[in-house]
């Protein structure tokens, strides 16, 4: 799951010395990396035959 590392790298790139230019670019990249992470997590759940919809429903009801 290299996607999580790539997401962390983007977040860290603006964590210490954010500038307007860096934040704008990082936001776009963070959005792309979040999509990659979500896709890979759901793909893994499907491959392992894990019903991820039920826990989401439970968590949303909290």
């Amino acid at each position: 799951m290299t996607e999580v590392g790539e997401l962390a790298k983007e977040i860290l790139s603006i964590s210490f010395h954010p500038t307007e230019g860096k934040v704008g670019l990082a936001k776009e990249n963070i959005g792309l990396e979040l999509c990659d992470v979500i896709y890979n997590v759901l793909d893994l759940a499907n491959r392992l035959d894990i019903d991820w919809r039920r826990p989401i429903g439970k968590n949303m009801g909290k």
Side-chain angles (χ1 to χ4, degrees):
M1 281 261 201
T2 60
E3 310 303 340
V4 175
E6 292 172 10
L7 175 60
K9 180 180 172 184
E10 291 297 331
I11 292 169
L12 288 173
S13 76
I14 59 168
S15 293
F16 299 107
H17 302 290
T19 64
E20 192 173 319
K22 285 170 76 174
V23 170
L25 178 61
K27 284 173 102 175
E28 183 176 337
N29 291 340
I30 288 169
L32 294 170
E33 295 304 335
L34 279 170
C35 288
D36 288 345
V37 169
I38 291 167
Y39 173 83
N40 280 284
V41 167
L42 294 178
D43 183 54
L44 177 62
N46 287 333
R47 289 172 187 255
L48 296 175
D49 198 29
I50 295 171
D51 180 9
W52 51 267
R53 291 169 186 87
R54 188 174 21 188
I56 287 177
K58 286 182 183 178
N59 285 339
M60 296 299 283
K62 288 183 180 179

